[in-house]
Amino acid sequence: MWKNKFHISPPFGLLNDPNGLIFWNNEYHIFYQWNPNACEHGSKHWAHLKSRDLINWEFLPIALSPNDWFDKNGCYSGSAIEKDNKLYFHQQ
């Protein structure tokens, strides 16, 4: 199977808009809209990856899941910020 060498890609499912790009705790973090259930729009979560060099990426647990009534169509665009050495998300 062909796989990107320098670009992130999901293990399966749909990758959509990147969100919340941030350098935090000496690592780069990227979040993107991800449907882990299918290769189609719907039920979007926020996948989370981190890297020290922007080449080698480590997948982390899902950052946001559509669990509340206001997320019924998925977790869409937003941002990440650091305050008092904690990482916060703002979903729009």
Side-chain angles (χ1 to χ4, degrees):
M1 179 177 155
W2 184 84
K3 187 86 168 150
N4 288 322
K5 187 172 182 180
F6 296 109
H7 298 281
I8 62 169
S9 61
F12 50 85
L14 175 82
L15 180 152
N16 204 41
D17 299 343
N19 293 285
L21 305 161
I22 190 167
F23 186 75
W24 178 64
N25 282 350
N26 295 315
E27 295 176 313
Y28 299 94
H29 293 258
I30 187 168
F31 304 88
Y32 61 82
Q33 295 170 9
W34 179 38
N35 183 349
N37 304 311
C39 287
E40 60 188 35
H41 291 278
S43 188
K44 290 194 177 104
H45 297 59
W46 272 26
H48 182 189
L49 293 89
K50 70 177 183 175
S51 173
R52 292 194 176 270
D53 59 11
L54 295 174
I55 295 172
N56 300 293
W57 291 93
E58 176 185 348
F59 281 88
L60 298 172
I62 291 173
L64 293 175
S65 296
N67 297 326
D68 292 309
W69 66 268
F70 48 81
D71 290 328
K72 66 182 172 134
N73 296 317
C75 300
Y76 284 85
S77 298
S79 57
I81 62 166
E82 179 271 331
K83 184 174 191 264
D84 300 325
N85 202 34
K86 292 183 181 176
L87 191 59
Y88 294 91
F89 304 111
H90 177 262
Q91 186 183 339
Q92 299 171 345

